[in-house]
Amino acid sequence: MKMQPHRGQITPLHLVVIALSFSVTFTIWQYTKHQTEIKVQQRFEASRDRIVGLIENRMARYEDALWAGVSAMDSQGGDMTLEQWRLFTEKMRIGDKYPGINGIGVIHYLRPDMLDAYLDARGIERDVFQIFPDHDSDHMMPISFIEPEAANSAAIGLDIAHETNRRNAALASRDTGYAQITGPIVLVQDASSTPGFLFYAPIYKEGPLDTLEQRRASFSGTVYAPFVVNRLMDGLLAKHLRHVSVSISDADEVIYDEHLTAEDLHDDNPMFAEQVTLDLYGRQWRLDIRTNLAFRHNNSDMQPVLFLIAGVLIEVLVIALIIMMARTNKKAVAYAEKVTDALRSEKEKLVKSNVELEQFAYVISHDLKTPIRGIAGLADMLKEDLEDYCSSKDANPEVTTAIDLIHDRVQRMNDLTSGILEFSCIRETYGKDSPLELTDFITSMIADLDLEPDQLVLDTPVQTLTTDTINLRRVLENLIGNAVKYHDGRTPLRIRVCVEDKGDTFAFSVADNGPGIDVRYHKKIFEMFQTLRTCDTPESTGIGLAVVKKSVELHGGRVEIISHPGEGATFSFHWPRNATAPPRESTAA
């Protein structure tokens, strides 16, 4: 005797339902979480690129201002007086047009034989002009003018040749012909002694300037601008308007730092951080960019959590469904045992069939379908709650797809329960059904399946059958329905139903021109919940052929299949002529 499952035991079908539910929940949560992470990262990258772009663009504007000063010097024959320089800078409106800049000035390049003439020219412009500090270099590079002068008066007369950083960048601009900046320095006019730098553009006398020697021979000084890095960054974009903080290093020396814990928006554990290297006018600046608390506040998306909560609710319903199924199964087994004890003298087959039909039908219609409808209702609520989001232009189409997937799986669960109900209802119905007119049956199948008359053809001299036609119709409907469902469309659909009178039995065959079935699967396809469905074929419960097999075997026969891939399939079986003459096993086609 076949062993019965333990009362309340979780069956493979239960595990499939649980796994499917977990899979849907996990997929939706992971997908929305991943999409949210991508969006947040893109926002960080946009903020990062904005900071980098602002620095590059602002430095390019400052460079333009320097070259404008060089052009002004050239227009005056290669040099200017203090009054001319002041007039030029007033027209430039340095403070308004170039925020973050400390000023703009002129540095003259002097050899020892040029010093007296230079001092005479400066003496005409000012009561007192002094070059400082003393040094041993063979040339001088004093700051002659700088505007606005009031804020930068401490720098007037400073000989930048006295200090390596200032001198090397100025000489680099001379030798290359390009604008250059210094390494980190402290400006003499900066009372706070914070890191700064100088920005140079070279001034030349008349050319040519094709070679290094020619540029050195023609070099007369630079137009320059001093910068305090703190002021430069304040001029770029105020901290409270940014969602990232930045520190800047030059040659391993930090010249600007917003990562200090004292900052109001400092985040000890930033969501994103990245280092960017900028090649700027002969120097390399390394930018350490990190998200701050404003970024965290504006990018705390709860959508993945909402989906996870919804998924958990679905899981609760699924688990409740499984528990109800297990309890119902326990009740069904107990009831079956009770009936078995009372009717032990009856045939075991009749008892088993009655128990399956009456008790399992109760399980399906009452204990299973109600929770399934509950899951479907929850999916509808989710779709309704997310309707505004799904219809927005920024909506992720995969969200709608995932919710639709829940609907599809609920429908599959409903189909499974219906198929199980059908399977449980298979029993002999001799004398309880009406005769089956084969021609009328085929005509109704053509109409029901929306086929053309030449797509489903009956080939038989037999017209009427009267033995258990309820189950016979069920067998034929499943075989014909499968042939239609799994036809691959490569050739026009053709199904042929043949019936031969064998005396005590009728030999049936249903042949199609579909994709065929590999010999390896000829037994597997008749098992419960087994299907050869691929991703491009319709959903299947895997119950139809099990129904066919059970119905035929109930009448003493067996179903056989002849099929190879690409050659269609032919299913054949024998059916008894009447209730008193069931077919012998040896007569199966």
Side-chain angles (χ1 to χ4, degrees), residues 45-73:
E45 291 171 353
S47 297
R48 174 205 64 195
D49 294 343
R50 186 182 184 193
I51 286 290
V52 173
L54 283 171
I55 292 175
E56 291 178 329
N57 292 338
R58 185 57 58 82
M59 292 300 290
R61 287 186 61 193
Y62 296 149
E63 181 189 8
D64 291 342
L66 296 182
W67 287 118
V70 172
S71 297
M73 294 286 286

Side-chain angles (χ1 to χ4, degrees), residues 140-260:
M140 298 180 181
M141 299 182 70
I143 297 174
S144 302
F145 323 130
I146 183 167
E147 294 294 332
E149 185 173 304
N152 296 281
S153 59
I156 295 174
L158 175 68
D159 186 352
I160 66 168
H162 85 282
E163 189 266 324
T164 303
N165 241 344
R166 292 172 168 86
R167 180 179 67 250
N168 287 349
L171 296 180
S173 71
R174 174 197 68 183
D175 293 346
T176 62
Y178 297 117
Q180 298 284 308
I181 63 175
T182 68
I185 62 171
V186 175
L187 303 181
V188 295
Q189 63 268 45
D190 180 18
S192 60
S193 299
T194 56
F197 62 93
L198 302 182
F199 199 174
Y200 302 111
I203 306 170
Y204 297 101
K205 303 171 187 175
E206 294 183 358
L209 305 172
D210 298 329
T211 66
L212 175 63
E213 290 75 12
Q214 290 171 344
R215 285 191 288 273
R216 288 181 174 179
S218 183
F219 182 63
S220 63
T222 70
V223 173
Y224 93 107
F227 291 88
V228 175
V229 182
N230 286 343
R231 285 194 59 193
L232 170 66
M233 292 303 293
D234 288 341
L236 284 174
L237 183 62
K239 295 178 186 178
H240 68 279
L241 297 179
R242 287 189 270 124
H243 291 169
V244 296
S245 60
V246 61
S247 72
I248 304 175
S249 301
D250 184 325
D252 297 327
E253 180 178 343
V254 177
I255 60 176
Y256 182 76
D257 192 1
E258 293 178 350
H259 300 331
L260 304 175

Side-chain angles (χ1 to χ4, degrees), residues 254-459:
V254 177
I255 60 176
Y256 182 76
D257 192 1
E258 293 178 350
H259 300 331
L260 304 175
T261 56
E263 295 284 346
D264 293 339
L265 295 176
H266 175 73
D267 191 346
D268 290 330
N269 184 27
M271 296 176 67
F272 295 94
E274 187 173 338
Q275 291 192 350
V276 178
T277 299
L278 291 182
D279 291 318
L280 287 175
Y281 305 100
R283 303 295 298 182
Q284 278 195 338
W285 283 7
R286 188 175 68 254
L287 277 59
D288 183 358
I289 303 173
R290 306 176 190 176
T291 57
N292 58 22
L293 293 177
F295 185 93
R296 182 179 295 278
H297 175 74
N298 290 334
N299 291 279
S300 297
D301 199 329
M302 293 297 294
Q303 187 183 72
V305 177
L306 293 175
F307 276 113
L308 183 59
I309 292 173
V312 170
L313 293 176
I314 293 176
E315 293 300 327
V316 170
L317 287 176
V318 170
I319 293 172
L321 171 65
I322 297 302
I323 293 174
M324 292 179 66
M325 290 176 65
R327 290 178 177 176
T328 303
N329 182 62
K330 182 178 180 180
K331 293 178 182 179
V333 172
Y335 183 79
E337 290 177 351
K338 181 179 179 181
V339 173
T340 301
D341 291 340
L343 302 176
R344 193 171 297 277
S345 61
E346 299 290 335
K347 291 182 179 180
E348 180 180 353
K349 179 176 63 174
L350 179 60
V351 173
K352 181 180 178 182
S353 177
N354 287 338
V355 171
E356 287 177 349
L357 174 62
E358 298 171 6
Q359 198 63 16
F360 201 76
Y362 173 82
V363 171
I364 294 298
S365 60
H366 293 85
D367 290 0
L368 295 185
K369 289 187 176 293
T370 298
I372 291 173
R373 286 195 295 270
I375 296 175
L378 179 59
D380 290 335
M381 290 172 61
L382 279 175
K383 190 168 186 178
E384 181 179 348
D385 290 344
L386 295 174
E387 182 177 359
D388 292 340
Y389 169 77
C390 293
S391 60
S392 67
K393 64 178 182 180
D394 295 329
N396 188 336
E398 294 298 329
V399 173
T400 301
T401 301
I403 295 176
D404 291 340
L405 179 61
I406 296 175
H407 277 289
D408 292 341
R409 294 317 179 201
V410 169
Q411 182 60 45
R412 176 168 169 75
M413 291 169 66
N414 192 60
D415 292 342
L416 280 170
T417 56
S418 298
I420 294 171
L421 176 61
E422 179 184 6
F423 187 81
S424 69
C425 290
I426 298 174
R427 58 177 178 169
E428 295 98 328
T429 59
Y430 301 114
K432 298 181 181 181
D433 55 352
S434 57
L436 177 65
E437 299 291 339
L438 291 176
T439 301
D440 293 342
F441 169 75
I442 293 299
T443 300
S444 67
M445 288 294 292
I446 291 173
D448 292 343
L449 297 175
D450 195 21
L451 302 178
E452 297 296 329
D454 62 343
Q455 290 182 303
L456 177 57
V457 177
L458 176 65
D459 182 6

Side-chain angles (χ1 to χ4, degrees), residues 106-118:
V106 176
I107 296 173
H108 284 93
Y109 178 78
L110 305 176
R111 292 185 300 275
D113 59 330
M114 304 167 60
L115 181 58
D116 291 340
Y118 172 79

Side-chain angles (χ1 to χ4, degrees), residues 427-430 433 466-472 554-555 575:
R427 58 177 178 169
E428 295 98 328
T429 59
Y430 301 114
D433 55 352
T466 59
T467 303
D468 197 4
T469 56
I470 291 178
N471 280 314
L472 178 58
L554 184 68
H555 297 82
W575 199 261

